[in-house]
Amino acid sequence: MNIVVLAGGNSTEREVSIVSGKGVCGALRERNHRAILLDAYFGREKMEEDLFPTEYDIEKEAAWMQEKSKLLKETMKTRKEFFGPYVLDICRAADIVFLALHGANGEDGKVQSVLDLMGIPYTGSGHLSSAMAMDKGITKMVFEAAGIPTPRGITLEKKTCTSKLSDYGMEFPVIVKPCCGGSSVGVCIAKDQKEYELALAEAFSYENEVVVEQFVQGREFSVAVVDGKAYPVIEIAPLEGFYDYKNKYQEGSCIETCPAEISVELTKEMQRYAEEGYKALHLEAYARLDFIMDDEGNMYCLEANTLPGMTPTSLIPQEAKVIGMSYPRLCEKLIEVSFNKYR
């Protein structure tokens, strides 16, 4: 197939997206697909005659995208439109677009809406479920309505919130995070009033809405759901702190164990909640749901990621490996299950 791997973008997760896109593009090439890497925000400098060549230099394209990252802030000051030159024309020529975007404008349903309107097939969930899952406040309400355990929390607006936790019937410690951010950017644990005020300022520097939830001390897990079926549970144990941006992407900062060393009963329970969360949010094709479990075995679903990291060492590829699926085959399977939306 002719496949566009759409990556980059203009979110705080741009660099992670480029790494995901590079990995996916290479994997699909291994499976004999004519995949190309395309920067959603910077596009192409010209329209080539052969859009999907047999021979293709992925490293060169990724390096060009990373060089363009240096211009991102300045470009965003003067440019209103999201898609770069020729992006939609090239996407229209593909059999499918593999979305390797992460964070705002790529994972929140906006790109999906445009592709839907243009009749361009793409991987992952549709625009509405992507938007719901990206909003941690909405996700929490959906989980609560569906009976999926999730930490108690509230959504605060910058212009109306107070800095007194007691006004919301909560107590320290709490987690403060931007409502629609990704990769734990801007997420802080606050153990007292001073830390809470600093955490609010940090989170509000990214967005006008933040989620504050009761902190749960425990072990962190993740479960991929592909085509409605849960994969093996993976445990993430940061050597320091919690699973924040640094621990997610700095090599050697976490110990990742798959399958997780928990009982069969707890494994099945977590997988069931992952599948129920996937269904409650009306997700499609694939997603990753994150959990925390306290010392008494009480588990809480934290959030759903509709376009999780897809580097060869990311969590979903690790889970797939346990069931005997290679990284290239996984990338191909995510395309196959995504086509179900169009049948």
Side-chain angles (χ1 to χ4, degrees), residues 229-342:
K229 179 68 176 175
Y231 275 20
V233 177
I234 187 169
E235 180 173 5
I236 309 105
L239 298 179
E240 292 182 10
F242 67 103
Y243 197 43
D244 58 6
Y245 186 91
K246 174 177 168 250
N247 283 328
K248 283 181 178 179
Y249 301 116
Q250 183 171 302
E251 189 175 347
S253 59
C254 289
I255 298 173
E256 295 164 352
T257 306
C258 189
E261 294 175 352
I262 55 177
S263 69
V264 173
E265 292 75 21
L266 288 174
T267 296
K268 288 182 177 179
E269 184 179 7
M270 194 174 292
Q271 288 175 317
R272 176 171 61 83
Y273 281 135
E275 291 174 356
E276 289 177 358
Y278 177 96
K279 185 177 179 180
L281 287 166
H282 297 279
L283 302 179
E284 299 168 287
Y286 74 106
R288 199 193 77 220
L289 289 90
D290 297 337
F291 291 82
I292 195 161
M293 185 171 68
D294 65 22
D295 292 338
E296 297 176 358
N298 300 307
M299 60 186 68
Y300 304 89
C301 193
L302 303 176
E303 62 179 294
N305 303 272
T306 56
L307 292 178
M310 276 298 295
T311 71
T313 57
S314 292
L315 301 182
I316 290 184
Q318 289 188 60
E319 294 178 59
K321 185 177 180 181
V322 169
I323 59 172
M325 188 181 298
S326 69
Y327 175 66
R329 175 63 191 127
L330 171 66
C331 293
E332 194 174 52
K333 182 173 178 62
L334 297 184
I335 289 174
E336 291 170 2
V337 299
S338 294
F339 270 122
N340 290 338
K341 299 199 300 283
Y342 306 102

Side-chain angles (χ1 to χ4, degrees), residues 48-308:
E48 291 90 351
E49 288 186 18
D50 186 4
L51 292 176
F52 303 96
T54 303
E55 300 296 325
Y56 181 68
D57 192 337
I58 300 172
E59 294 287 344
K60 181 180 177 181
E61 189 67 27
W64 182 85
M65 292 170 69
Q66 287 164 340
E67 193 65 25
K68 285 290 184 181
S69 296
K70 299 174 184 177
L71 306 175
L72 183 63
K73 288 184 179 179
E74 285 302 312
T75 305
M76 288 178 66
K77 290 178 182 178
T78 57
R79 205 178 95 189
K80 292 182 179 180
E81 67 271 21
F82 173 74
F83 290 108
Y86 307 113
V87 168
L88 294 176
D89 295 309
I90 297 171
C91 288
R92 193 187 284 114
D95 294 311
I96 193 167
V97 175
F98 194 113
L99 293 180
L101 295 163
H102 302 313
N105 298 323
E107 198 169 351
D108 55 10
K110 293 178 182 177
V111 166
Q112 290 83 350
S113 293
V114 173
L115 298 181
D116 282 337
L117 289 171
M118 297 184 69
I120 299 172
Y122 57 88
T123 56
S125 292
H127 65 273
L128 181 58
S129 50
S130 295
M132 289 197 301
M134 190 70 178
D135 189 309
K136 295 177 179 64
I138 291 176
T139 296
K140 190 169 287 293
M141 287 191 289
V142 170
F143 285 166
E144 289 171 347
I148 298 161
T150 188
R152 180 167 174 258
I154 52 170
T155 301
L156 302 180
E157 292 187 17
K158 189 174 185 177
K159 60 184 179 182
T160 59
C161 78
T162 73
S163 59
K164 288 178 62 178
L165 263 185
S166 57
D167 290 343
Y168 309 107
M170 299 180 73
E171 59 185 29
F172 297 112
V174 292
I175 290 265
V176 180
K177 45 188 159 184
C179 205
C180 295
S183 284
S184 298
V185 174
V187 177
C188 301
I189 299 174
K191 298 183 286 293
D192 55 39
Q193 185 62 32
K194 183 178 179 181
E195 289 184 352
Y196 178 58
E197 291 175 8
L198 290 172
L200 282 179
E202 171 74 7
F204 278 132
S205 73
Y206 293 98
E207 299 174 22
N208 290 324
E209 284 190 340
V210 304
V211 168
V212 179
E213 65 183 18
Q214 212 66 60
F215 174 71
V216 177
Q217 181 70 49
R219 297 162 67 185
E220 298 181 62
F221 301 88
S222 193
V223 185
V225 179
V226 178
D227 205 22
K229 179 68 176 175
Y231 275 20
V233 177
I234 187 169
E235 180 173 5
I236 309 105
L239 298 179
E240 292 182 10
F242 67 103
Y243 197 43
D244 58 6
Y245 186 91
K246 174 177 168 250
N247 283 328
K248 283 181 178 179
Y249 301 116
Q250 183 171 302
E251 189 175 347
S253 59
C254 289
I255 298 173
E256 295 164 352
T257 306
C258 189
E261 294 175 352
I262 55 177
S263 69
V264 173
E265 292 75 21
L266 288 174
T267 296
K268 288 182 177 179
E269 184 179 7
M270 194 174 292
Q271 288 175 317
R272 176 171 61 83
Y273 281 135
E275 291 174 356
E276 289 177 358
Y278 177 96
K279 185 177 179 180
L281 287 166
H282 297 279
L283 302 179
E284 299 168 287
Y286 74 106
R288 199 193 77 220
L289 289 90
D290 297 337
F291 291 82
I292 195 161
M293 185 171 68
D294 65 22
D295 292 338
E296 297 176 358
N298 300 307
M299 60 186 68
Y300 304 89
C301 193
L302 303 176
E303 62 179 294
N305 303 272
T306 56
L307 292 178

